Every structure is written in C-alpha cells, then in structure tokens.
Amino acid sequence: LKQIVDKLKDSNNVLVTVNTNPSVDELSAALGITLLINKLNKHATAVFSGAVPPAIEFLQPEKTFENTVDSLRDFIIALDKEKADHLRYKVVDDMVKIFITPYRTTISEGDLEFSQGDYNVEVVLAVGVRAEADLDKALASHGRILHDATVAAISLGEPTKLGGIEWNDAGASSYSELLFQLADGLKGDKNLLDEQIATAFLTGIVAATNRFSNEKTTSKAMTIAAQLMSAGANQQLIATKLQDEQAITGQSDSPAVPKSEPLQQETSHDIPQEITDSGTGALSISHQPEAMLMKSKKWLKPLTHKKR
C-alpha cells in the first residue's frame, strides 16, 4: 500500500482499469479512486468498455469511465522551430485556437506535421485483474501501456501475474475497502472525501457484503462504512438501488455483462490552469543560442536555435 501511495504521489498520469467482467464492487472502487486522484490535480483515466450494471447508474459512471484508451495519447503538432517566433492560444466558445507568429518567413499547412504521441501513462492501477489476458478489452491490444508504466495490481485472494507492485489482502471485505485505504493514504491533510467519492466506495462495500449480511461483514468494513456515511454517502439510497438490482438479477454483486457497442460518454477537456480569465495564454520562442523558453510551462521543453 505504501509503495502504491508513494508512486501515485510522484506521478501525474494514472490509468485505472478493471477486468473483463467486473463486479459492482470493482467498478465502484475504480470510480471512487479515479475521482479522488483527479482531485489531487493529477490526470486519472478509468477505462471500462463493458455494460455498466443498472445498480450503479445513480453514480453517473458515464462521466468517469472511458470505453477506449484514445485519450491516453497526446496529439502532436510539429513545426520547424526556426519558423516560429511566438505561440499563443485562446479559448473561443468550445474551441482552443493556437496562433503561431512566423519568424522572418511565412507558415502554411504544409509546414505542419501531425502525429500521435506515446501513451501518456505513468502508473496503472489494475483492480481485480489476474493477468494480462484478463484486462478489459479496450486495453487488450495495447500491451505497451503495461510495459512502459508501473503496474500496481490490487487483489483479494491470490496474487496476480501482472508484475510490478502487488497489493493483496485476502482479509478485506471488498475492493472498495482497499481503495478507500489507498484514498486515505493519498489525501494527507486534505479533505478529499466528498459525497460522490464516499458514495462510490460505500456502494462497493454494501454490494460485496450483501448489505452487511454475509461473512465479509467485518468490524473494519463497518468502521469504514461509518466513515463514508459521515462523509456524505447515502447508505439507504445505495441499499435500495442494490436491492432493486438483486430482485432483477437474483445476484447480490453480479459482474457487469460485456457488450458489443461502446458506452456513450460525456467528455470534458482540461485547459491548463495558467490560462487567464480571458481564455488566452502564450509562450515565446527565443532565437538565441542555448536559450530557454520565456516563462515556459512545466509541460513544455526548452527550445534552442542555431546561430544565424
């Protein structure tokens, strides 16, 4: 647990994934930890390409889960640095416009090159994934993500075969209990546990314990449930939703059923915080030897130019 906490604190881009047939608990846990990591001003992406169980629709999972890994790659626009003198961007309605001021030349479409970058993932949180073959189908053909990133495998029962950091706790009631502990380790002195996150974690615990009625109902699970309720989780609403699902399916924590068509997602795009209230931002390109970008942002590398 400590190794995962430390790694996440040192990373900015995190992928949260589940297996091909996750339970309500696994999905709820993945949803809750993704929301919390994003509140740390990091970029967490949860990928699940199957059908979401009706029991957790009230958690609005479509706003968190993505059904592809497309958003994990940067789109790169390249231009000969000798032709660019100044770059600025401006947000106009729903568009981000990039303006390039030429340096003693003209710039046309033919001067621009477009490409896809590498997968931008530093840590993979694998929730309930036993082996690579058990990964969600959206990641099945993208093994490079696991190869390039640090994999943190979280399991109940037997350890996984994913390698990397292994966190296995057979005594835990649920994945939501484990990821609540991870969330607690990440938050430090900050109060990050809001109503939405608390409700997601409690949903997983209630589902895994069959509304606190089976052998998984431990004193630790009850204590964590009380903390989540104090943070705003609505236990009665959760129990009602899960009871309705059980009445339909006959199962207390049924795995999600895979589907052939992807979910329709609501998407949002984060604009760097350095953008001003007017929706504009800029960077200057120096044409002096070994020069650095003036006031460059952390995500931009210095550019240098040859002597003229």
Side-chain angles (χ1 to χ4, degrees), residues 4 59 74 87 116 134 165 182 186 202 234 260 271 291 299:
I4 298 175
L59 296 175
D74 292 330
L87 276 72
Q116 293 284 349
D134 194 30
I165 304 173
L182 176 58
L186 286 171
L202 185 58
N234 189 332
S260 58
I271 304 301
W299 44 273

Side-chain angles (χ1 to χ4, degrees), residues 10-299:
D10 291 337
S11 304
N12 290 314
N13 299 298
V14 181
L15 167 63
V16 181
T17 186
V18 292
N19 58 66
T20 55
N21 199 25
S23 65
V24 167
D25 170 36
E26 290 163 339
L27 289 173
S28 299
L31 192 154
I33 198 63
T34 301
L35 293 172
L36 186 130
I37 292 173
N38 279 323
K39 288 188 71 174
L40 290 168
N41 293 323
K42 299 178 183 292
H43 182 211
T45 302
V47 174
F48 173 57
S49 61
V52 174
I56 64 170
E57 287 180 353
F58 75 103
L59 296 175
Q60 297 182 303
E62 72 279 0
K63 293 184 177 180
T64 301
F65 290 122
E66 298 187 25
N67 49 35
T68 71
V69 295
D70 294 343
S71 67
L72 302 177
R73 303 179 73 178
D74 292 330
F75 180 73
I76 301 172
I77 303 174
L79 171 68
D80 184 350
K81 63 183 179 181
E82 297 294 340
K83 294 188 175 184
D85 188 54
H86 190 80
L87 276 72
R88 60 189 176 91
Y89 51 87
K90 184 175 183 180
V91 181
V92 180
D93 296 326
D94 293 331
M95 301 291 291
V96 179
K97 295 187 176 183
I98 301 172
F99 303 86
I100 305 174
T101 302
Y103 181 70
R104 299 179 180 179
T105 187
T106 58
I107 297 175
S108 65
E109 293 182 6
D111 294 311
L112 303 177
E113 296 180 3
F114 306 96
S115 62
Q116 293 284 349
D118 291 334
Y119 286 102
N120 195 16
V121 178
E122 297 169 82
V123 181
V124 177
L125 282 183
V127 181
V129 180
R130 302 297 180 190
E132 286 195 33
D134 194 30
L135 282 168
D136 185 276
K137 292 181 179 179
L139 279 82
S141 60
H142 301 284
R144 185 173 177 180
I145 296 177
L146 298 184
H147 181 269
D148 294 342
T150 298
V151 178
I154 301 171
S155 62
L156 300 173
E158 295 182 2
T160 72
K161 298 178 181 179
L162 292 176
I165 304 173
E166 289 276 349
W167 181 23
N168 171 44
D169 188 349
S173 67
S174 57
Y175 285 98
S176 292
E177 176 183 316
L178 291 181
L179 291 188
F180 169 80
Q181 295 177 54
L182 176 58
D184 192 57
L186 286 171
K187 69 182 181 63
D189 296 331
K190 299 178 182 179
N191 183 20
L192 300 176
L193 198 65
D194 58 25
E195 180 179 347
Q196 185 180 18
I197 297 171
T199 299
F201 285 143
L202 185 58
T203 298
I205 294 175
V206 172
T209 61
N210 195 14
R211 299 189 300 281
F212 305 109
S213 65
N214 62 21
E215 70 282 355
K216 296 180 181 179
T217 308
T218 63
S219 59
K220 187 173 184 178
M222 296 296 288
T223 299
I224 291 175
Q227 291 177 260
L228 294 170
M229 291 174 66
S230 297
N234 189 332
Q235 189 270 338
Q236 291 183 339
L237 174 63
I238 294 169
T240 299
K241 295 294 183 181
L242 293 179
Q243 187 173 18
D244 291 344
E245 174 77 355
Q246 184 177 4
I248 296 173
T249 65
Q251 297 179 351
S252 59
D253 189 8
S254 56
V257 180
K259 68 173 186 177
S260 58
E261 296 183 0
L263 296 172
Q264 295 296 322
Q265 300 289 343
E266 295 182 18
T267 59
S268 61
H269 301 277
D270 294 330
I271 304 301
Q273 295 179 356
E274 292 86 354
I275 289 181
T276 63
D277 292 338
S278 62
T280 61
L283 64 92
S284 298
I285 299 176
S286 173
H287 290 267
Q288 299 299 322
E290 304 301 324
M292 302 288 286
L293 278 176
M294 182 185 301
K295 298 181 180 179
S296 65
K297 299 177 177 61
K298 293 179 180 178
W299 44 273

